[in-house]
Amino acid sequence: MSTTVSATQKPVLNRLRRAQGQLNAIISAIENGGKCRDVVIQLAAVSSALDKAGFQIISTAMQKCIADENDESDPMTVEELEKLFMTLA
């Protein structure tokens, strides 16, 4: 099955793939007795990458919500967007 990635999804996917690579490196480092300092630094990098991806996803949703304000489909409410945003804070 082929899927099309939008221009707004591409940077998020790139960030998540980078985080996935960092997470794989962390697992490998732990399995191979890597230094604690290196593992913690990589954990911080993964955490930051995931936070940024989440903020980017929510930001895109907010922009779409504002742009589709008059759309009769099921847009997210401001309260729902705020709640999603605050889960990352």
Side-chain angles (χ1 to χ4, degrees):
M1 175 169 69
S2 175
T3 59
T4 304
V5 177
S6 73
T8 56
Q9 291 173 325
K10 189 171 179 123
V12 172
L13 288 172
N14 289 339
R15 189 177 302 276
L16 290 173
R17 286 186 182 109
R18 192 174 320 119
Q20 183 179 33
Q22 290 171 315
L23 187 55
N24 288 336
I26 293 167
I27 292 168
S28 179
I30 291 171
E31 289 175 340
N32 296 313
K35 292 183 179 180
C36 180
R37 179 183 303 170
D38 295 338
V39 169
V40 171
I41 289 170
Q42 285 298 318
L43 279 172
V46 169
S47 179
S48 176
L50 292 176
D51 287 345
K52 288 177 182 176
F55 285 128
Q56 196 165 8
I57 290 168
I58 292 170
S59 172
T60 301
M62 287 179 173
Q63 291 170 0
K64 184 172 176 7
C65 182
I66 291 168
D68 295 344
E69 208 168 57
N70 296 323
D71 188 1
E72 292 298 322
S73 65
D74 191 23
M76 294 183 76
T77 66
V78 172
E79 291 80 16
E80 290 171 322
L81 288 169
E82 284 178 2
K83 186 176 179 179
L84 281 174
F85 186 78
M86 293 308 293
T87 61
L88 295 172

